[in-house]
Amino acid sequence: MSTMTADTASAVRTGAEPPRRVSPRRTLSHGLTLAWRNIAQLKHSPEKLLDVTLMPIVFLLLFLYVFGGAVAGDTHSYLQKLLPGLVAQMAMFATMGLGTALAEDIQKGVFDRFRSLPIARSAPLIGTVLGDTVRFLMVVTVLVGFGTALGFRFHTDPLSVLGAFALAYVFYLAVSWVSVLVGLLAPGPETVQGLAFLWVMPLTFGSSVLVPDTSTMPGWLQAWTKVNPVTHLADAVRALTTGGPVGNHVWYTLAWAAGIVLVTFPIAIRMYNRRA
Amino acid sequence: MSDVIRAEGLRKRFGDTQALDGVDLTVRRGTVLGVLGPNGAGKTTAVRVLATLLKPDAGRAEVCGYDVVRDSVRVRAKIGLTGQYASVDEELTGTENLVMIARLLDFSRREARARAKELLARFSLTDAGGRAVKTYSGGMRRRLDLAASLINRPEVIYLDEPTTGLDPRARGEVWDTVREVVADGASVLLTTQYLEEADALADRIAVFDHGHVIAEGTSAELKARAGRQTLAVRAADLYRVEQLTTIVADLTGARPEVQAATGLVTAPIGDPAVLSAVVRRLDEAGLVAAELALRMPSLDEVFLTLTGHHAEPAATETVTEGSLV
């Protein structure tokens, strides 16, 4: 019973035996402390948010005015299709910084300090993923804010809109674990970015993000976009924010998110433990 | 239980390198074990195994009675780790770093802030507490590192080359801190490349070479193993050096070395009793000694005797690196 309630600090104070395992509740609390660390870092160097602030603006402007006329006839109606798609794409892009940050922590020895503490080995990884929520919020805020200024309007009820962003966030959290894996696999922080592009690019461009109607694509690409979870996320967000049939896109997206976490999370923890 | 660390037959291999090749170590409670050896001798690997960061390929180790592999979470509750690899977060302030680690050790928010303040004051970092660590000097950073490893009042502290790269003043500060920590009752395992550091801080010294402990004992014991002592005498009157040299040669049966500049006469001796004979002869001759001592061999001489090579090849490496630039 004592192992259920005893924590490290009280064990030190009372001289009692420290707990043998770290309970899930304490792991979550340690994860939140480490998420706070990421946010404190941003407070000292807000320039770290520059990429997630500027990227949505640049991509929105570029895609809107390059493709708008060709894909949808006019930019205004394309904006209504493009913006929800960009929420999906930018969420994926936002996870890329995570791998770099992780590789830096490992290189600088910060993670060895964490590994020498009586906390769960998963806590630093969970903390990094949760702390990066700030980047997701930034991407969505800038996209919606800037998009609204350009003429984007929600056409559904607030609950559906909230559901759309919640779905994007769930998928973002799942994909973060892929970034964690890349960060752990990369030989150093410099190589993470390049590796990340390798998987983010085909996933986000080979989807319905930029071109909602995929029927003009060659068959093999159509097959790819159909299974690509980013397509399902983009279509789900599109339907939930601008109207239209939601179909099974929400369930496909959630199933993909669950599948990604089930595969990458245990591998990431194992790799993190083995990393000497 | 008087041993806080007990390791038997630790082995660890990385690719072609046998980093640990059957290492036995013990650290008695409240003492400092100095692990001395050149780069690549296996010191850091040993610390990483004992700090539960690495699993050994073979052998076993207990820290505070807990097995480092099976009971690693409990071991981690008992230890503090500072060194070249376990580091603080440069992007955060000193206070934020300490509060974060205290929170990870399940201190409440208030307790965490109080403990951080207390440690910053103790390590003379109160004024720097609100600044990002990347603005700290090397010495300040090491002190913060050390403070971070003391938050939960660990019973065992690992210091992995705590003064490598520090200037002599900063090194002295770290040494003082280590002595304080030991005075508070902690046990310390300290790795170092500096013979002087092991001599100054350690109660016992384990000499590592190529993944083996090649010698273990107190500084005095190790020096005794390296063999003979040296007699050193200096006459108060420099012009009587020749007379002094004759006396020393006569009593030691060796040919003394004479430093021309200082007039110091030295000769190896086999029997420490020679010292009193020297004193009598100087007295009879009316020679006043400004300096008279029996010197133990230096730890570098010990290392040379034990391993056949010098302990600090770093000096020549630095020259080569410098010439490349």
PDB file of all heavy atoms in Angstrom, chain A residues 101-131:
ATOM      1  N   ALA A 101      14.659  19.271 -31.310  1.00  0.00           N
ATOM      2  CA  ALA A 101      14.826  19.614 -29.902  1.00  0.00           C
ATOM      3  C   ALA A 101      15.270  18.397 -29.090  1.00  0.00           C
ATOM      4  O   ALA A 101      16.144  18.485 -28.222  1.00  0.00           O
ATOM      5  CB  ALA A 101      13.517  20.173 -29.344  1.00  0.00           C
ATOM      6  N   LEU A 102      14.685  17.257 -29.417  1.00  0.00           N
ATOM      7  CA  LEU A 102      15.002  16.022 -28.706  1.00  0.00           C
ATOM      8  C   LEU A 102      16.462  15.615 -28.937  1.00  0.00           C
ATOM      9  O   LEU A 102      17.190  15.267 -27.998  1.00  0.00           O
ATOM     10  CB  LEU A 102      14.076  14.926 -29.227  1.00  0.00           C
ATOM     11  CG  LEU A 102      13.737  13.793 -28.306  1.00  0.00           C
ATOM     12  CD1 LEU A 102      13.061  14.331 -27.067  1.00  0.00           C
ATOM     13  CD2 LEU A 102      12.808  12.833 -29.018  1.00  0.00           C
ATOM     14  N   ALA A 103      16.882  15.683 -30.200  1.00  0.00           N
ATOM     15  CA  ALA A 103      18.260  15.323 -30.531  1.00  0.00           C
ATOM     16  C   ALA A 103      19.240  16.254 -29.819  1.00  0.00           C
ATOM     17  O   ALA A 103      20.306  15.835 -29.367  1.00  0.00           O
ATOM     18  CB  ALA A 103      18.464  15.374 -32.041  1.00  0.00           C
ATOM     19  N   GLU A 104      18.861  17.533 -29.671  1.00  0.00           N
ATOM     20  CA  GLU A 104      19.724  18.480 -28.950  1.00  0.00           C
ATOM     21  C   GLU A 104      19.814  18.130 -27.474  1.00  0.00           C
ATOM     22  O   GLU A 104      20.888  18.177 -26.876  1.00  0.00           O
ATOM     23  CB  GLU A 104      19.185  19.906 -29.100  1.00  0.00           C
ATOM     24  CG  GLU A 104      19.747  20.609 -30.315  1.00  0.00           C
ATOM     25  CD  GLU A 104      19.092  21.959 -30.562  1.00  0.00           C
ATOM     26  OE1 GLU A 104      18.345  22.440 -29.678  1.00  0.00           O
ATOM     27  OE2 GLU A 104      19.326  22.509 -31.648  1.00  0.00           O
ATOM     28  N   ASP A 105      18.682  17.782 -26.873  1.00  0.00           N
ATOM     29  CA  ASP A 105      18.674  17.397 -25.458  1.00  0.00           C
ATOM     30  C   ASP A 105      19.588  16.207 -25.215  1.00  0.00           C
ATOM     31  O   ASP A 105      20.291  16.139 -24.215  1.00  0.00           O
ATOM     32  CB  ASP A 105      17.254  17.025 -25.022  1.00  0.00           C
ATOM     33  CG  ASP A 105      16.456  18.249 -24.606  1.00  0.00           C
ATOM     34  OD1 ASP A 105      17.065  19.321 -24.440  1.00  0.00           O
ATOM     35  OD2 ASP A 105      15.241  18.121 -24.445  1.00  0.00           O
ATOM     36  N   ILE A 106      19.546  15.255 -26.153  1.00  0.00           N
ATOM     37  CA  ILE A 106      20.365  14.058 -25.991  1.00  0.00           C
ATOM     38  C   ILE A 106      21.839  14.435 -26.124  1.00  0.00           C
ATOM     39  O   ILE A 106      22.677  14.047 -25.320  1.00  0.00           O
ATOM     40  CB  ILE A 106      19.972  12.993 -27.034  1.00  0.00           C
ATOM     41  CG1 ILE A 106      18.581  12.449 -26.698  1.00  0.00           C
ATOM     42  CG2 ILE A 106      20.996  11.867 -27.072  1.00  0.00           C
ATOM     43  CD1 ILE A 106      17.964  11.636 -27.798  1.00  0.00           C
ATOM     44  N   GLN A 107      22.142  15.247 -27.135  1.00  0.00           N
ATOM     45  CA  GLN A 107      23.534  15.627 -27.382  1.00  0.00           C
ATOM     46  C   GLN A 107      24.112  16.424 -26.211  1.00  0.00           C
ATOM     47  O   GLN A 107      25.252  16.223 -25.821  1.00  0.00           O
ATOM     48  CB  GLN A 107      23.599  16.462 -28.659  1.00  0.00           C
ATOM     49  CG  GLN A 107      25.007  16.642 -29.185  1.00  0.00           C
ATOM     50  CD  GLN A 107      25.019  17.502 -30.437  1.00  0.00           C
ATOM     51  OE1 GLN A 107      24.453  18.595 -30.466  1.00  0.00           O
ATOM     52  NE2 GLN A 107      25.635  17.007 -31.484  1.00  0.00           N
ATOM     53  N   LYS A 108      23.293  17.313 -25.647  1.00  0.00           N
ATOM     54  CA  LYS A 108      23.810  18.175 -24.582  1.00  0.00           C
ATOM     55  C   LYS A 108      23.804  17.507 -23.212  1.00  0.00           C
ATOM     56  O   LYS A 108      24.274  18.091 -22.241  1.00  0.00           O
ATOM     57  CB  LYS A 108      22.990  19.458 -24.515  1.00  0.00           C
ATOM     58  CG  LYS A 108      23.282  20.392 -25.678  1.00  0.00           C
ATOM     59  CD  LYS A 108      22.489  21.670 -25.534  1.00  0.00           C
ATOM     60  CE  LYS A 108      22.794  22.599 -26.703  1.00  0.00           C
ATOM     61  NZ  LYS A 108      21.810  23.692 -26.748  1.00  0.00           N
ATOM     62  N   GLY A 109      23.247  16.310 -23.097  1.00  0.00           N
ATOM     63  CA  GLY A 109      23.296  15.607 -21.818  1.00  0.00           C
ATOM     64  C   GLY A 109      22.139  15.932 -20.891  1.00  0.00           C
ATOM     65  O   GLY A 109      22.110  15.469 -19.763  1.00  0.00           O
ATOM     66  N   VAL A 110      21.185  16.760 -21.363  1.00  0.00           N
ATOM     67  CA  VAL A 110      20.043  17.086 -20.502  1.00  0.00           C
ATOM     68  C   VAL A 110      19.224  15.821 -20.220  1.00  0.00           C
ATOM     69  O   VAL A 110      18.765  15.605 -19.101  1.00  0.00           O
ATOM     70  CB  VAL A 110      19.151  18.156 -21.167  1.00  0.00           C
ATOM     71  CG1 VAL A 110      17.970  18.498 -20.280  1.00  0.00           C
ATOM     72  CG2 VAL A 110      19.963  19.410 -21.447  1.00  0.00           C
ATOM     73  N   PHE A 111      19.095  14.966 -21.248  1.00  0.00           N
ATOM     74  CA  PHE A 111      18.303  13.755 -21.055  1.00  0.00           C
ATOM     75  C   PHE A 111      18.978  12.755 -20.126  1.00  0.00           C
ATOM     76  O   PHE A 111      18.312  11.976 -19.465  1.00  0.00           O
ATOM     77  CB  PHE A 111      17.957  13.110 -22.401  1.00  0.00           C
ATOM     78  CG  PHE A 111      16.605  13.533 -22.888  1.00  0.00           C
ATOM     79  CD1 PHE A 111      16.186  14.844 -22.733  1.00  0.00           C
ATOM     80  CD2 PHE A 111      15.733  12.635 -23.461  1.00  0.00           C
ATOM     81  CE1 PHE A 111      14.938  15.258 -23.145  1.00  0.00           C
ATOM     82  CE2 PHE A 111      14.465  13.036 -23.881  1.00  0.00           C
ATOM     83  CZ  PHE A 111      14.067  14.333 -23.729  1.00  0.00           C
ATOM     84  N   ASP A 112      20.294  12.786 -20.058  1.00  0.00           N
ATOM     85  CA  ASP A 112      20.976  11.895 -19.116  1.00  0.00           C
ATOM     86  C   ASP A 112      20.662  12.290 -17.685  1.00  0.00           C
ATOM     87  O   ASP A 112      20.554  11.439 -16.807  1.00  0.00           O
ATOM     88  CB  ASP A 112      22.483  11.919 -19.344  1.00  0.00           C
ATOM     89  CG  ASP A 112      22.916  10.846 -20.315  1.00  0.00           C
ATOM     90  OD1 ASP A 112      22.058  10.018 -20.683  1.00  0.00           O
ATOM     91  OD2 ASP A 112      24.095  10.821 -20.708  1.00  0.00           O
ATOM     92  N   ARG A 113      20.529  13.586 -17.455  1.00  0.00           N
ATOM     93  CA  ARG A 113      20.123  14.037 -16.125  1.00  0.00           C
ATOM     94  C   ARG A 113      18.745  13.464 -15.798  1.00  0.00           C
ATOM     95  O   ARG A 113      18.537  12.908 -14.724  1.00  0.00           O
ATOM     96  CB  ARG A 113      20.108  15.570 -16.085  1.00  0.00           C
ATOM     97  CG  ARG A 113      19.354  16.162 -14.942  1.00  0.00           C
ATOM     98  CD  ARG A 113      20.154  16.266 -13.673  1.00  0.00           C
ATOM     99  NE  ARG A 113      21.210  17.247 -13.819  1.00  0.00           N
ATOM    100  CZ  ARG A 113      22.260  17.322 -13.033  1.00  0.00           C
ATOM    101  NH1 ARG A 113      22.409  16.476 -12.044  1.00  0.00           N
ATOM    102  NH2 ARG A 113      23.180  18.228 -13.222  1.00  0.00           N
ATOM    103  N   PHE A 114      17.810  13.578 -16.747  1.00  0.00           N
ATOM    104  CA  PHE A 114      16.462  13.051 -16.513  1.00  0.00           C
ATOM    105  C   PHE A 114      16.514  11.541 -16.276  1.00  0.00           C
ATOM    106  O   PHE A 114      15.808  11.014 -15.437  1.00  0.00           O
ATOM    107  CB  PHE A 114      15.544  13.343 -17.699  1.00  0.00           C
ATOM    108  CG  PHE A 114      15.308  14.820 -17.933  1.00  0.00           C
ATOM    109  CD1 PHE A 114      15.052  15.300 -19.199  1.00  0.00           C
ATOM    110  CD2 PHE A 114      15.343  15.708 -16.874  1.00  0.00           C
ATOM    111  CE1 PHE A 114      14.839  16.660 -19.410  1.00  0.00           C
ATOM    112  CE2 PHE A 114      15.131  17.068 -17.077  1.00  0.00           C
ATOM    113  CZ  PHE A 114      14.878  17.538 -18.350  1.00  0.00           C
ATOM    114  N   ARG A 115      17.367  10.866 -17.055  1.00  0.00           N
ATOM    115  CA  ARG A 115      17.443   9.409 -16.925  1.00  0.00           C
ATOM    116  C   ARG A 115      18.016   8.969 -15.594  1.00  0.00           C
ATOM    117  O   ARG A 115      17.847   7.824 -15.193  1.00  0.00           O
ATOM    118  CB  ARG A 115      18.281   8.829 -18.068  1.00  0.00           C
ATOM    119  CG  ARG A 115      17.503   8.675 -19.382  1.00  0.00           C
ATOM    120  CD  ARG A 115      18.422   8.674 -20.584  1.00  0.00           C
ATOM    121  NE  ARG A 115      19.549   7.780 -20.423  1.00  0.00           N
ATOM    122  CZ  ARG A 115      19.573   6.538 -20.901  1.00  0.00           C
ATOM    123  NH1 ARG A 115      18.546   6.067 -21.554  1.00  0.00           N
ATOM    124  NH2 ARG A 115      20.626   5.794 -20.729  1.00  0.00           N
ATOM    125  N   SER A 116      18.731   9.885 -14.912  1.00  0.00           N
ATOM    126  CA  SER A 116      19.299   9.519 -13.619  1.00  0.00           C
ATOM    127  C   SER A 116      18.332   9.833 -12.475  1.00  0.00           C
ATOM    128  O   SER A 116      18.641   9.602 -11.315  1.00  0.00           O
ATOM    129  CB  SER A 116      20.631  10.238 -13.394  1.00  0.00           C
ATOM    130  OG  SER A 116      20.423  11.595 -13.080  1.00  0.00           O
ATOM    131  N   LEU A 117      17.156  10.384 -12.803  1.00  0.00           N
ATOM    132  CA  LEU A 117      16.173  10.698 -11.765  1.00  0.00           C
ATOM    133  C   LEU A 117      15.166   9.554 -11.630  1.00  0.00           C
ATOM    134  O   LEU A 117      14.921   8.827 -12.594  1.00  0.00           O
ATOM    135  CB  LEU A 117      15.411  11.983 -12.127  1.00  0.00           C
ATOM    136  CG  LEU A 117      16.242  13.269 -12.222  1.00  0.00           C
ATOM    137  CD1 LEU A 117      15.371  14.421 -12.725  1.00  0.00           C
ATOM    138  CD2 LEU A 117      16.858  13.625 -10.886  1.00  0.00           C
ATOM    139  N   PRO A 118      14.568   9.399 -10.429  1.00  0.00           N
ATOM    140  CA  PRO A 118      13.599   8.308 -10.234  1.00  0.00           C
ATOM    141  C   PRO A 118      12.252   8.633 -10.861  1.00  0.00           C
ATOM    142  O   PRO A 118      11.230   8.681 -10.185  1.00  0.00           O
ATOM    143  CB  PRO A 118      13.502   8.190  -8.711  1.00  0.00           C
ATOM    144  CG  PRO A 118      13.874   9.536  -8.206  1.00  0.00           C
ATOM    145  CD  PRO A 118      14.829  10.134  -9.189  1.00  0.00           C
ATOM    146  N   ILE A 119      12.233   8.893 -12.158  1.00  0.00           N
ATOM    147  CA  ILE A 119      10.989   9.146 -12.875  1.00  0.00           C
ATOM    148  C   ILE A 119      10.878   8.093 -13.968  1.00  0.00           C
ATOM    149  O   ILE A 119      11.868   7.445 -14.300  1.00  0.00           O
ATOM    150  CB  ILE A 119      10.953  10.558 -13.508  1.00  0.00           C
ATOM    151  CG1 ILE A 119      12.104  10.735 -14.504  1.00  0.00           C
ATOM    152  CG2 ILE A 119      11.011  11.625 -12.437  1.00  0.00           C
ATOM    153  CD1 ILE A 119      12.086  12.069 -15.237  1.00  0.00           C
ATOM    154  N   ALA A 120       9.670   7.939 -14.527  1.00  0.00           N
ATOM    155  CA  ALA A 120       9.501   6.947 -15.592  1.00  0.00           C
ATOM    156  C   ALA A 120      10.318   7.382 -16.799  1.00  0.00           C
ATOM    157  O   ALA A 120      10.458   8.565 -17.083  1.00  0.00           O
ATOM    158  CB  ALA A 120       8.032   6.834 -15.972  1.00  0.00           C
ATOM    159  N   ARG A 121      10.861   6.386 -17.502  1.00  0.00           N
ATOM    160  CA  ARG A 121      11.681   6.706 -18.668  1.00  0.00           C
ATOM    161  C   ARG A 121      10.850   7.379 -19.758  1.00  0.00           C
ATOM    162  O   ARG A 121      11.369   8.059 -20.624  1.00  0.00           O
ATOM    163  CB  ARG A 121      12.328   5.426 -19.208  1.00  0.00           C
ATOM    164  CG  ARG A 121      13.428   4.891 -18.280  1.00  0.00           C
ATOM    165  CD  ARG A 121      14.753   5.558 -18.577  1.00  0.00           C
ATOM    166  NE  ARG A 121      15.683   5.519 -17.460  1.00  0.00           N
ATOM    167  CZ  ARG A 121      16.715   4.699 -17.358  1.00  0.00           C
ATOM    168  NH1 ARG A 121      16.936   3.812 -18.276  1.00  0.00           N
ATOM    169  NH2 ARG A 121      17.528   4.781 -16.322  1.00  0.00           N
ATOM    170  N   SER A 122       9.522   7.174 -19.727  1.00  0.00           N
ATOM    171  CA  SER A 122       8.693   7.792 -20.765  1.00  0.00           C
ATOM    172  C   SER A 122       8.396   9.255 -20.460  1.00  0.00           C
ATOM    173  O   SER A 122       8.007   9.997 -21.352  1.00  0.00           O
ATOM    174  CB  SER A 122       7.385   7.019 -20.904  1.00  0.00           C
ATOM    175  OG  SER A 122       6.705   6.987 -19.662  1.00  0.00           O
ATOM    176  N   ALA A 123       8.592   9.677 -19.194  1.00  0.00           N
ATOM    177  CA  ALA A 123       8.173  11.031 -18.797  1.00  0.00           C
ATOM    178  C   ALA A 123       8.811  12.146 -19.636  1.00  0.00           C
ATOM    179  O   ALA A 123       8.104  13.050 -20.081  1.00  0.00           O
ATOM    180  CB  ALA A 123       8.434  11.245 -17.308  1.00  0.00           C
ATOM    181  N   PRO A 124      10.143  12.104 -19.885  1.00  0.00           N
ATOM    182  CA  PRO A 124      10.726  13.193 -20.686  1.00  0.00           C
ATOM    183  C   PRO A 124      10.162  13.247 -22.104  1.00  0.00           C
ATOM    184  O   PRO A 124       9.960  14.335 -22.647  1.00  0.00           O
ATOM    185  CB  PRO A 124      12.220  12.857 -20.714  1.00  0.00           C
ATOM    186  CG  PRO A 124      12.445  12.020 -19.510  1.00  0.00           C
ATOM    187  CD  PRO A 124      11.187  11.230 -19.341  1.00  0.00           C
ATOM    188  N   LEU A 125       9.858  12.074 -22.680  1.00  0.00           N
ATOM    189  CA  LEU A 125       9.309  12.062 -24.035  1.00  0.00           C
ATOM    190  C   LEU A 125       7.877  12.598 -24.026  1.00  0.00           C
ATOM    191  O   LEU A 125       7.491  13.411 -24.865  1.00  0.00           O
ATOM    192  CB  LEU A 125       9.343  10.645 -24.615  1.00  0.00           C
ATOM    193  CG  LEU A 125      10.740  10.025 -24.759  1.00  0.00           C
ATOM    194  CD1 LEU A 125      10.649   8.629 -25.362  1.00  0.00           C
ATOM    195  CD2 LEU A 125      11.628  10.907 -25.630  1.00  0.00           C
ATOM    196  N   ILE A 126       7.085  12.148 -23.047  1.00  0.00           N
ATOM    197  CA  ILE A 126       5.716  12.640 -22.923  1.00  0.00           C
ATOM    198  C   ILE A 126       5.733  14.152 -22.711  1.00  0.00           C
ATOM    199  O   ILE A 126       4.961  14.897 -23.316  1.00  0.00           O
ATOM    200  CB  ILE A 126       4.990  11.930 -21.754  1.00  0.00           C
ATOM    201  CG1 ILE A 126       4.782  10.459 -22.106  1.00  0.00           C
ATOM    202  CG2 ILE A 126       3.666  12.605 -21.437  1.00  0.00           C
ATOM    203  CD1 ILE A 126       4.240   9.617 -20.967  1.00  0.00           C
ATOM    204  N   GLY A 127       6.649  14.623 -21.857  1.00  0.00           N
ATOM    205  CA  GLY A 127       6.760  16.057 -21.582  1.00  0.00           C
ATOM    206  C   GLY A 127       7.071  16.851 -22.832  1.00  0.00           C
ATOM    207  O   GLY A 127       6.475  17.900 -23.087  1.00  0.00           O
ATOM    208  N   THR A 128       8.008  16.338 -23.641  1.00  0.00           N
ATOM    209  CA  THR A 128       8.377  17.052 -24.862  1.00  0.00           C
ATOM    210  C   THR A 128       7.185  17.139 -25.807  1.00  0.00           C
ATOM    211  O   THR A 128       6.924  18.190 -26.398  1.00  0.00           O
ATOM    212  CB  THR A 128       9.544  16.323 -25.566  1.00  0.00           C
ATOM    213  OG1 THR A 128      10.580  16.131 -24.604  1.00  0.00           O
ATOM    214  CG2 THR A 128      10.086  17.138 -26.705  1.00  0.00           C
ATOM    215  N   VAL A 129       6.452  16.027 -25.952  1.00  0.00           N
ATOM    216  CA  VAL A 129       5.303  16.012 -26.862  1.00  0.00           C
ATOM    217  C   VAL A 129       4.212  16.972 -26.372  1.00  0.00           C
ATOM    218  O   VAL A 129       3.693  17.785 -27.144  1.00  0.00           O
ATOM    219  CB  VAL A 129       4.752  14.574 -27.012  1.00  0.00           C
ATOM    220  CG1 VAL A 129       3.409  14.584 -27.710  1.00  0.00           C
ATOM    221  CG2 VAL A 129       5.745  13.712 -27.784  1.00  0.00           C
ATOM    222  N   LEU A 130       3.896  16.909 -25.066  1.00  0.00           N
ATOM    223  CA  LEU A 130       2.849  17.782 -24.535  1.00  0.00           C
ATOM    224  C   LEU A 130       3.269  19.255 -24.603  1.00  0.00           C
ATOM    225  O   LEU A 130       2.458  20.130 -24.906  1.00  0.00           O
ATOM    226  CB  LEU A 130       2.510  17.401 -23.085  1.00  0.00           C
ATOM    227  CG  LEU A 130       1.767  16.093 -22.887  1.00  0.00           C
ATOM    228  CD1 LEU A 130       1.486  15.859 -21.406  1.00  0.00           C
ATOM    229  CD2 LEU A 130       0.461  16.081 -23.677  1.00  0.00           C
ATOM    230  N   GLY A 131       4.554  19.522 -24.310  1.00  0.00           N
ATOM    231  CA  GLY A 131       5.043  20.900 -24.322  1.00  0.00           C
ATOM    232  C   GLY A 131       4.940  21.526 -25.695  1.00  0.00           C
ATOM    233  O   GLY A 131       4.790  22.740 -25.832  1.00  0.00           O
TER     234      GLY A 131
END
